[in-house]
């Protein structure tokens, strides 16, 4: 959002001045600018997949992805206990059961723990790429393939990141993205679903638009493929997202430069440790996560910079999601959790993922490209800082860390 400027204005005005705001239109009509359609095409090419489907948010992208896979009552979806609450709530409103798994020091799904959570009911693995850094997709894919379980990638926090040369979101059956204000590219709110699979694309499309075929081409009344909803993106939103997508790589290149200087200087502090980065060149570099030896050290540093250790970063940690712990679905009978035929009844409570809690208690975020108190990143660099400013702020941080840690 820090890089919104003339390019976004131009795209939006293009739509506004034409007066035509709906994503479908007649190609022969000069008022129809096809921003959403163009965004989808460019986004698919950017990620390196066959299909991209624009929707209203990352949350509706997740719900669309699960619906595309045909996930329903009694099915289980494995999800790491460190993610945004939407990763869990979308599983619940797909009427499935979230099965929580541990993270490792990459702060993403722990492949060893993942395998232990698989049951005959497991219908998907939600691999979340947290804080800009891709999950261990080689290991996760091996396990998923062995058990024949589809992966959905939640790339909401890592749009534009790559893992071993391939863009995140292109590894799973489906990938989803968010264009909310706190993400690497934004149009206020918006989302995307990607896939290489023609049938999945058609199903996701139908779900997001009242059962219609892609782009409403072909059969209509009397032949709709399934009961859908409406998560369509409009042309104004698409226009902003299009301009943002076209500058995403330059934004990320800038952040990677800032983070390199910031991290290298802080790394000179004896004993300092960082979160495990799975792909140094490919990650988004939105944040620098410090991993201390003890929760006490993390707490002391967080206090000093006016922040909190990640264990206290609100609705990104399962144990802080009170509405999930109390199973407050819209259904008074708490249906998605207890009623369907073969469903396991799971209690969600603080402490059920001891490894995740231990790691997050030792972790503190510093900002590089993202300033968000909600994710525990209230201090550090600003995205528009120069490399010189980043170096200066790193030296100040080292001094401060020395004082706090002794
Ligand atoms: C932001 C986010 C979402 C949800 O995206 P919205 O666009 O806010 O609905 C899903 N998963 C993760 C990991 C996120 O960070």
């Amino acid at each position: 959002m820090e890089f919104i400027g003339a390019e976004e204005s131009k795209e939006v005005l293009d739509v506004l001045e034409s007066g035509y705001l709906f994503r479908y239109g007649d190609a022969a009509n000069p008022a129809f600018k096809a921003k959403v359609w163009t965004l989808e095409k460019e986004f698919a090419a950017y990620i390196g997949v066959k299909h991209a489907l624009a929707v209203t948010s990352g949350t509706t992208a997740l719900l669309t992805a699960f619906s595309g896979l045909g996930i329903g009552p009694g099915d289980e979806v494995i999800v790491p206990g460190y993610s945004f609450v939407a990763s869990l709530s979308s599983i619940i409103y797909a009427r499935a059961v979230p099965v929580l798994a541990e993270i490792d020091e990459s702060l993403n799904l722990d492949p060893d723990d993942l395998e232990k959570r698989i049951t005959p009911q497991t219908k998907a693995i939600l691999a979340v790429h947290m804080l800009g850094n891709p999950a261990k997709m080689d290991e996760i894919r091996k396990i998923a393939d062995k058990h024949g379980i589809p992966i959905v990638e939640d790339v909401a926090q890592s749009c534009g990141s790559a893992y071993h040369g391939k863009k995140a979101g292109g590894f799973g059956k489906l990938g989803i993205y968010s264009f909310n204000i706190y993400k690497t590219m934004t149009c206020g709110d918006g989302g995307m679903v990607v896939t290489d699979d023609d049938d999945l694309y058609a199903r996701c499309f139908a779900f997001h638009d009242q059962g219609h075929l892609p782009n409403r081409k072909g059969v209509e009344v009397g032949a709709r493929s399934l009961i859908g909803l409406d998560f369509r993106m409009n042309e104004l939103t698409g226009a902003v997202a299009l301009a943002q997508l076209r500058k995403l790589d330059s934004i990320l290149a800038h952040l990677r430069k800032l983070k390199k200087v910031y991290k290298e200087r802080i790394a000179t502090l004896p004993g300092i440790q960082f979160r495990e980065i799975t792909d140094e060149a490919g990650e988004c570099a939105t944040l620098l996560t410090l991993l201390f030896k003890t929760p006490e050290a993390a707490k002391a540093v967080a206090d000093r910079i006016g922040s909190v250790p990640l264990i206290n970063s609100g609705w990104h940690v399962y144990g802080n999601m009170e509405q999930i712990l109390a199973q407050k679905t819209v259904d008074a009978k708490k249906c998605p959790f207890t009623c369907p035929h073969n469903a396991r009844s799971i209690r969600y409570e603080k402490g059920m993922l001891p490894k995740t809690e231990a790691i997050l208690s030792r972790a503190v975020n510093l900002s590089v490209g993202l300033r968000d108190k909600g994710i525990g990143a209230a201090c550090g660099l600003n995205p528009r800082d120069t490399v010189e400013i980043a170096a200066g702020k790193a030296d100040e941080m080292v001094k401060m860390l020395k004082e706090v840690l002794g």
Side-chain angles (χ1 to χ4, degrees):
M1 73 179 183
E2 305 271 348
F3 299 91
I4 286 178
E7 300 80 3
E8 286 75 7
S9 296
K10 186 191 154 295
E11 292 298 333
V12 170
L13 284 176
D14 200 20
V15 174
L16 208 49
E17 285 167 1
S18 82
Y20 193 90
L21 312 186
F22 190 40
R23 72 154 292 171
Y24 303 117
D26 181 355
N29 175 5
F32 175 52
K33 303 295 181 191
K35 298 295 180 192
V36 175
W37 182 245
T38 308
L39 169 70
E40 289 174 338
K41 292 290 144 208
E42 290 193 16
F43 197 88
Y46 178 78
I47 301 299
V49 291
K50 209 163 157 191
H51 303 289
L53 170 68
V55 292
T56 50
S57 70
T59 306
T60 55
L62 281 165
L63 188 58
T64 302
F66 294 136
S67 303
L69 284 172
I71 284 168
D75 293 342
E76 296 180 5
V77 178
I78 298 175
V79 55
Y82 179 51
S83 187
F84 182 57
V85 64
S87 307
L88 279 78
S89 45
S90 57
I91 297 169
I92 292 163
Y93 282 106
R95 300 158 302 139
V97 180
V99 173
L100 300 184
E102 300 273 18
I103 58 164
D104 61 20
E105 292 198 357
S106 71
L107 305 195
N108 294 324
L109 199 52
D110 175 356
D112 293 333
D113 190 64
L114 163 64
E115 189 151 30
K116 296 181 199 142
R117 309 279 171 179
I118 294 173
T119 75
Q121 268 63 258
T122 309
K123 292 292 147 52
I125 294 163
L126 186 61
V128 188
H129 308 293
M130 283 299 278
L131 312 178
N133 179 31
K136 292 175 180 155
M137 291 313 295
D138 287 343
E139 290 88 338
I140 292 170
R141 267 220 295 202
K142 218 173 276 165
I143 294 162
D145 289 348
K146 184 172 137 196
H147 295 270
I149 300 169
I151 297 171
V152 177
E153 292 177 75
D154 181 340
V155 205
Q157 295 193 7
S158 303
C159 182
S161 69
Y163 176 77
H164 300 175
K166 188 177 159 89
K167 284 265 162 39
F171 291 89
K173 270 273 177 211
L174 292 147
I176 75 92
Y177 305 80
S178 162
F179 307 142
N180 172 260
I181 191 163
Y182 294 115
K183 316 297 178 166
T184 56
M185 57 172 273
T186 186
C187 50
D189 265 315
M192 195 71 81
V193 181
V194 301
T195 184
D196 274 323
D197 184 307
D198 296 344
D199 292 337
L200 271 177
Y201 171 61
R203 280 181 59 88
C204 287
F205 200 101
F207 183 74
H208 113 292
D209 185 20
Q210 314 289 11
H212 289 294
L213 284 178
N215 228 19
R216 293 193 175 176
K217 291 268 166 61
V219 291
E220 294 293 333
V221 178
R224 280 175 290 246
S225 57
L226 51 78
I227 302 169
L229 291 167
D230 172 8
F231 300 132
R232 294 184 304 261
M233 185 180 278
N234 69 69
E235 287 287 277
L236 288 170
T237 303
V240 180
L242 185 58
Q244 285 267 290
L245 174 63
R246 288 171 178 169
K247 44 171 99 159
L248 181 57
D249 274 344
S250 68
I251 293 172
L252 295 183
H254 174 64
L255 298 186
R256 287 178 187 129
K257 254 192 254 168
L258 290 186
K259 181 168 174 178
K260 186 164 186 291
V261 178
Y262 198 48
K263 186 174 181 178
E264 272 172 7
R265 296 216 171 196
I266 293 176
T268 58
L269 197 71
I272 194 88
Q273 284 180 345
F274 304 97
R275 162 203 198 177
E276 179 190 348
I277 298 295
T278 56
D279 190 319
E280 289 280 352
E283 70 134 347
C284 288
T286 39
L287 294 154
L288 176 62
T289 309
L290 307 174
L291 215 48
F292 295 95
K293 290 197 177 67
T294 64
E296 291 73 26
K299 176 81 169 57
V301 169
D303 280 351
R304 176 66 183 267
I305 63 174
S307 188
V308 289
L310 296 195
I311 188 73
N312 300 121
S313 60
W315 52 5
H316 294 92
V317 186
Y318 77 96
N320 302 333
M321 300 173 188
E322 73 287 350
Q323 71 279 45
I324 302 261
L325 302 186
Q327 304 192 3
K328 289 183 181 169
T329 66
V330 294
D331 184 337
K333 295 190 292 293
K334 297 179 180 172
C335 187
F337 291 91
T338 52
C339 85
H341 351 290
N342 53 345
R344 268 204 290 160
S345 183
I346 297 181
R347 279 176 56 81
Y348 301 85
E349 48 203 357
K350 251 190 193 150
M352 68 191 291
L353 297 178
K355 182 175 175 184
T356 297
E357 299 204 3
I359 292 169
L360 294 176
S361 301
R362 296 190 289 115
V364 175
N365 270 339
L366 299 177
S367 304
V368 178
L370 175 65
R371 283 253 170 183
D372 176 9
K373 222 175 164 161
I375 206 149
C379 172
L381 304 183
N382 288 312
R384 283 186 169 278
D385 283 348
T386 61
V387 168
E388 291 69 36
I389 292 175
K393 286 187 178 175
D395 294 342
E396 281 169 33
M397 185 59 67
V398 167
K399 215 170 115 206
M400 195 277 299
L401 287 169
K402 268 185 193 153
E403 281 169 23
V404 178
L405 300 171

